[in-house]
Amino acid sequence: MTRLLLAVSIAIICLSLNSVAQTKIIWRAGDTIAAKTVKTIAIDKLFSSQEIDNKIFNRIRNKSFKSNCTTPRQDLRYLKIAHINIYGKVQMGELICHKSIANDLIEIFKQLYLEKYPIERMVLIDEYGGDDEASMSANNTSCFNFRKINGSAKLSKHSLGMAVDINPRNNPCVHSKTGLVEPANGKAYAHNRDKHKAGVIKLIDHQDLCYKLFKAHGFRWGGDWKSVKDYQHFEK
């Protein structure tokens, strides 16, 4: 009887592991995953990197990947990233980044996911027509977008896929000289940021987990800059 129970137990464990390994979902960034389904998916299946195939390229052409884009398509990677949204649900996300930081981002966002760090939205900026202000206003976390730095002739690190903006409405870019706040609807979070720390979304500072993880992977934080405080921004 003992041997029979042992055999049954082993069979159940094997079936359970096989179920976890084979569970598949259709990845639609912005959709949530039911809690019971999350339990059947191996965590590594929630984070992946792939080359920019034609289907993905058609989504970004003439939007984030503009006609004058000098960043080779083959240098970019499409990431599938699970994250916890502001309601505590597991949500499907996506980013396009430079291939040299793809593994960094997967490791960082996997740790943020495990720590239940809230990220409101993570879809390609192309869902907003490649418009940075529109994407930031929606509190959308994003990476690649071939564009110049606002008010400058210099290309942004986003043009290379080497910069990430995290929860940008809650962590706006503040220009000290002009008073400009990007996005405009992030003004409430531009100054006296300590008073907003009790909110669902974490405000990035030197004690924040997001800051610590990006710094550990060699990224620079825009919140440390002098003339501009770009609280949302991490770059390599």
Side-chain angles (χ1 to χ4, degrees):
M1 180 65 71
T2 302
R3 290 181 178 178
L4 178 60
L5 289 174
L6 179 60
V8 170
S9 297
I10 291 174
I12 291 173
I13 291 172
C14 289
L15 285 171
S16 177
L17 290 174
N18 189 54
S19 175
V20 169
Q22 293 187 15
T23 298
K24 294 181 180 180
I25 56 174
I26 298 173
W27 202 271
R28 287 189 291 262
D31 284 3
T32 56
I33 308 174
K36 63 180 181 181
T37 302
V38 172
K39 293 178 181 179
T40 68
I41 303 173
I43 188 169
D44 287 344
K45 299 295 184 183
L46 297 174
F47 301 86
S48 65
S49 171
Q50 68 180 77
E51 295 183 356
I52 307 298
D53 60 23
N54 289 336
K55 183 177 180 180
I56 296 169
F57 188 64
N58 287 335
R59 290 180 61 192
I60 69 175
R61 195 201 318 254
N62 296 322
K63 294 177 183 176
S64 63
F65 197 100
K66 298 169 179 63
S67 59
N68 62 339
C69 184
T70 55
T71 301
R73 169 181 168 179
Q74 59 267 29
D75 285 354
L76 299 173
R77 293 293 181 270
Y78 174 80
L79 308 185
K80 292 179 180 177
I81 296 174
H83 63 95
I84 305 300
N85 67 17
I86 59 175
Y87 305 106
K89 305 291 186 180
V90 177
Q91 191 160 305
M92 292 177 258
E94 59 183 356
L95 289 175
I96 287 180
C97 69
H98 193 276
K99 63 183 180 182
S100 65
I101 65 168
N103 289 337
D104 287 317
L105 294 187
I106 285 177
E107 290 177 14
I108 290 169
F109 283 108
K110 184 182 292 186
Q111 192 60 41
L112 290 174
Y113 169 83
L114 290 172
E115 297 291 338
K116 301 187 184 303
Y117 188 97
I119 295 174
E120 183 164 356
R121 184 173 289 103
M122 190 190 300
V123 299
L124 298 187
I125 198 169
D126 308 271
E127 297 298 316
Y128 303 91
D131 186 305
D132 196 43
E133 176 70 16
S135 176
M136 289 190 294
S137 295
N139 219 20
N140 182 52
T141 293
S142 66
C143 183
F144 172 73
N145 188 21
F146 190 80
R147 62 174 178 82
K148 295 177 181 178
I149 298 171
N150 194 9
S152 169
K154 184 179 178 181
L155 285 175
S156 165
K157 283 279 188 175
H158 288 285
S159 294
L160 300 172
M162 294 292 287
V164 184
D165 290 341
I166 309 290
N167 289 330
R169 186 180 65 240
N170 296 79
N171 298 288
C173 178
V174 184
H175 299 255
S176 57
K177 291 184 179 180
T178 64
L180 176 68
V181 176
E182 301 174 281
N185 66 356
K187 287 182 179 179
Y189 301 94
H191 307 288
N192 301 319
R193 287 171 59 77
D194 285 347
K195 71 179 182 180
H196 296 287
K197 281 190 173 182
V200 173
I201 295 180
K202 312 297 182 183
L203 301 194
I204 300 173
D205 58 20
H206 289 133
Q207 285 72 51
D208 184 60
L209 176 62
C210 196
Y211 167 84
K212 292 177 180 179
L213 291 174
F214 273 96
K215 288 293 288 186
H217 282 263
F219 285 78
R220 295 178 291 276
W221 180 45
D224 285 328
W225 298 342
K226 293 183 179 180
S227 61
V228 174
K229 293 294 184 182
D230 201 351
Y231 297 110
Q232 64 196 260
H233 184 92
F234 292 94
E235 68 173 43
K236 255 191 180 184

